[in-house]
Amino acid sequence: MSNSINGSYWLNVQSPRGSPLPTSQMVSYTAYPRQHIPNHIPPAMPWQGTSPLMPYGGGHATGMYGMPSSIGRRDGSIGRSTGGNMVPYMKRNLNTPSPGNKSIKRQLDDEKLSDQKRQRLGVDNELKGVYFGSPHQMEINGDKLSSAMISYFNKHHQADDIYQKKMKLRDALYGILQGVFPYCGLYAVGSSMSGFGTNKSDMDLCLMLTREQIDQKCEATEILKLVHKSFRKCSFITSSQVIKAKVPILKFWDDISNVECDLNINNSVGIRNTHLLKAYASVDWRVRPLVLFIKYWSRFHDINDARKQTISSYSLGLMVIHYLQYGCSQPVLPVLQKLYPDVFSIKNDISSLRLDEDLPLYESQNTDSLGDLYIGFLKYYALDFDFKSSAISVRTGTKLPVEEVKLKVDTPQQWKYLSIEEPFDLSNTARAVFDADTFTRIRRVFLTSYRRLSKKREVNDILCRQF
């Protein structure tokens, strides 16, 4: 049985046969956000340890995504400060519980640091955002559209305390799942990790059990039912249900962090594309506020929900990245899979992936404001892009003929009205958009928003009513 006490997760972890696991450990950690420079845009998130970490007993290394495990350095620390960019310093305390106490407790470590260590880690620096670059990029006075977008981002981007709650929950869930799957790896993926999350974003989790493919229709569903049964013993997990889909998920709610979670099985592509999107989010300061505002605008107009045959948040992100690669007069973003094929290769073991890839600095010649880029995004997809014959490809940084991308997958019928190539498995991420009337409405929202916004640049003109 598991109890939640004062915001902490107490887990009585059981082995597959029902008896308590032989070892109980208390893991406490401290994570500090990486150092950054002024002004408006806060950093994406604090970081987990940088060294790939193996879960208990081997299996999948957790790297940047998985929770800290019992296998670390001899001094018990995980993560280091490197160069000018500080990665979180994590400290593990392994305490042998008293007889009869077979629980695992995970909580934030409030240990006081020495002055020397605080100075080395930079924990006394105020969080003032990210440096914009040259002075002309700071000139948002008088640009009401750009100012509104930055204001929205600063108010709604995923805050550090929300991120910490999610990581604390992930650690607790990992402790439970290891009782059922001793060699598993648990990866936090999606917008919570890529930098495109808000304070209301759910947490996507991927439970990796094997490097082999799993039959998502049958095997994954049965595994999720087993996990669902295990979670029912946890008082902090409520509203748990298995949802059957192309990639089935276990959807549940955590009463302590007030976070909704979606857990999938062995969907390694989600780990890879989180790795890729986080890299793109780090290239240019304009990417994150642009994506978050476009998601907000699309939700307002009810075109951001794959369950309603509209565009998923992941597909919207790929649309933005493609525009910034190909649709601008001067590219804002490079094509990372072309520049660094070894870093973003589907052949890479997911245990080697890091969210803080140390890539060379890319300096774009594009000086457009956020508002200019947003209007350009609307125009590109409202007037310039040929949806009938072209597919969006972030992997190549170009448009590809739809007939060409159809040849790369076993189910060509998935390419219908909106074609967006998944950067790794080459499927269509927008296959949910298969209704002609719904796609016509999506295009109407783009066109009407562009026409209204290009006249006055008043954000209220596109958020006053649905189009």
Side-chain angles (χ1 to χ4, degrees):
M1 182 176 181
S2 303
N3 299 308
S4 54
I5 304 174
N6 298 327
S8 298
Y9 300 93
W10 288 84
L11 312 174
N12 187 0
V13 182
Q14 301 290 316
S15 71
R17 295 186 179 181
S19 58
L21 293 180
T23 305
S24 295
Q25 299 169 325
M26 183 182 79
V27 179
S28 61
Y29 63 90
T30 305
Y32 302 103
R34 64 165 53 195
Q35 203 170 359
H36 50 282
I37 331 175
N39 250 331
H40 300 283
I41 309 299
M45 66 199 72
W47 307 114
Q48 294 298 93
T50 58
S51 299
L53 303 175
M54 298 295 292
Y56 302 119
H60 282 273
T62 57
M64 291 300 302
Y65 302 93
M67 63 162 285
S69 75
S70 63
I71 301 177
R73 300 187 178 92
R74 289 176 179 254
D75 61 1
S77 64
I78 304 173
R80 296 293 186 207
S81 164
T82 58
N85 292 326
M86 197 279 289
V87 297
Y89 181 84
M90 302 181 64
K91 183 176 181 180
R92 303 179 59 261
N93 297 321
L94 304 180
N95 296 338
T96 303
S98 58
N101 181 6
K102 304 294 185 180
S103 61
I104 297 178
K105 181 180 179 182
R106 287 180 168 85
Q107 62 182 19
L108 289 177
D109 187 359
D110 58 358
E111 177 187 30
K112 293 184 179 180
L113 301 175
S114 66
D115 292 339
Q116 183 179 5
K117 184 177 291 186
R118 293 181 69 88
Q119 183 177 4
R120 176 171 65 84
L121 298 177
V123 300
D124 290 322
N125 293 343
E126 295 182 0
L127 306 184
K128 297 180 180 179
V130 173
Y131 177 55
F132 273 57
S134 54
H136 67 268
Q137 291 177 322
M138 294 294 292
E139 294 174 0
I140 60 172
N141 292 333
D143 185 349
K144 290 185 287 187
L145 178 57
S146 296
S147 297
M149 294 173 70
I150 290 176
S151 177
Y152 173 82
F153 178 82
N154 283 337
K155 184 176 181 180
H156 295 283
H157 79 280
Q158 180 175 261
D160 177 63
D161 64 323
I162 301 295
Y163 172 81
Q164 294 289 357
K165 288 179 180 179
K166 290 180 177 179
M167 295 302 98
K168 191 176 179 183
L169 169 61
R170 181 208 56 190
D171 292 355
L173 295 175
Y174 187 51
I176 299 171
L177 292 169
Q178 277 195 315
V180 183
F181 309 104
Y183 305 110
C184 70
L186 185 61
Y187 294 73
V189 297
S191 61
S192 295
M193 304 302 290
S194 66
F196 297 138
T198 68
N199 287 329
K200 295 183 178 180
S201 296
D202 59 8
M203 180 166 67
D204 297 316
L205 295 162
C206 176
L207 177 62
M208 291 297 298
L209 302 177
T210 173
R211 288 180 171 85
E212 305 299 323
Q213 292 292 323
I214 282 183
D215 181 0
Q216 291 291 331
K217 186 176 181 179
C218 298
E219 292 180 323
T221 302
E222 291 304 312
I223 294 170
L224 287 174
K225 289 179 180 178
L226 181 62
V227 174
H228 171 65
K229 183 178 180 180
S230 179
F231 281 1
R232 283 188 301 184
K233 299 178 181 180
C234 303
S235 61
F236 54 86
I237 295 179
T238 58
S239 305
S240 176
Q241 61 175 325
V242 176
I243 298 178
K244 296 181 179 180
K246 183 177 184 292
V247 177
I249 61 171
L250 175 64
K251 185 178 288 289
F252 58 93
W253 179 266
D254 172 45
D255 283 338
I256 294 179
S257 62
N258 292 322
V259 169
E260 186 177 62
C261 300
D262 293 340
L263 174 71
N264 67 67
I265 305 297
N266 255 67
N267 185 29
S268 59
V269 170
I271 301 173
R272 298 186 192 281
N273 61 47
T274 299
H275 175 233
L276 179 65
L277 261 60
K278 173 60 189 69
Y280 275 117
S282 304
V283 170
D284 190 287
W285 71 267
R286 293 167 288 185
V287 178
R288 292 176 61 222
L290 182 61
V291 169
L292 259 66
F293 191 82
I294 287 173
K295 287 169 64 175
Y296 169 59
W297 159 81
S298 62
R299 284 194 300 271
F300 178 86
H301 290 287
D302 199 24
I303 60 171
N304 178 211
D305 191 343
R307 293 171 297 181
K308 298 180 179 180
Q309 302 173 21
T310 57
I311 312 171
S312 68
S313 294
Y314 176 48
S315 292
L316 272 174
L318 293 179
M319 291 175 72
V320 175
I321 293 171
H322 168 73
Y323 164 70
L324 296 177
Q325 290 174 326
Y326 184 82
C328 303
S329 56
Q330 292 286 339
V332 174
L333 295 176
V335 184
L336 292 180
Q337 285 169 285
K338 280 188 175 181
L339 287 179
Y340 312 106
D342 294 338
V343 176
F344 301 102
S345 171
I346 195 171
K347 297 179 181 180
N348 290 345
D349 192 318
I350 58 171
S351 64
S352 67
L353 303 183
R354 299 164 177 260
L355 280 185
D356 63 342
E357 292 290 355
D358 187 17
L359 303 177
L361 179 66
Y362 175 80
E363 295 187 10
S364 170
Q365 300 302 310
N366 186 302
T367 59
D368 290 347
S369 68
L370 267 180
D372 291 336
L373 291 176
Y374 179 42
I375 294 174
F377 168 83
L378 295 174
K379 178 179 181 294
Y380 180 69
Y381 289 111
L383 301 176
D384 301 338
F385 192 86
D386 184 357
F387 290 96
K388 289 184 178 180
S389 62
S390 299
I392 293 166
S393 176
V394 166
R395 175 180 61 90
T396 62
T398 62
K399 297 183 294 184
L400 294 177
V402 172
E403 295 304 319
E404 179 183 324
V405 298
K406 283 183 178 180
L407 300 175
K408 298 178 180 179
V409 295
D410 296 331
T411 52
Q413 64 271 20
Q414 66 182 265
W415 305 88
K416 200 158 188 182
Y417 297 107
L418 178 57
S419 301
I420 304 176
E421 181 192 61
E422 210 291 321
F424 294 99
D425 70 12
L426 309 185
S427 64
N428 183 13
T429 69
R431 57 184 169 270
V433 185
F434 60 83
D435 180 74
D437 292 337
T438 301
F439 183 62
T440 299
R441 183 172 67 85
I442 291 172
R443 296 201 65 181
R444 183 177 68 244
V445 170
F446 272 84
L447 182 59
T448 306
S449 297
Y450 166 65
R451 287 174 174 171
R452 289 195 173 203
L453 207 56
S454 59
K455 289 180 179 179
K456 296 183 181 179
R457 297 175 69 94
E458 287 282 355
V459 71
N460 289 334
D461 287 348
I462 61 170
L463 297 174
C464 57
R465 64 178 180 85
Q466 290 187 350
F467 302 145

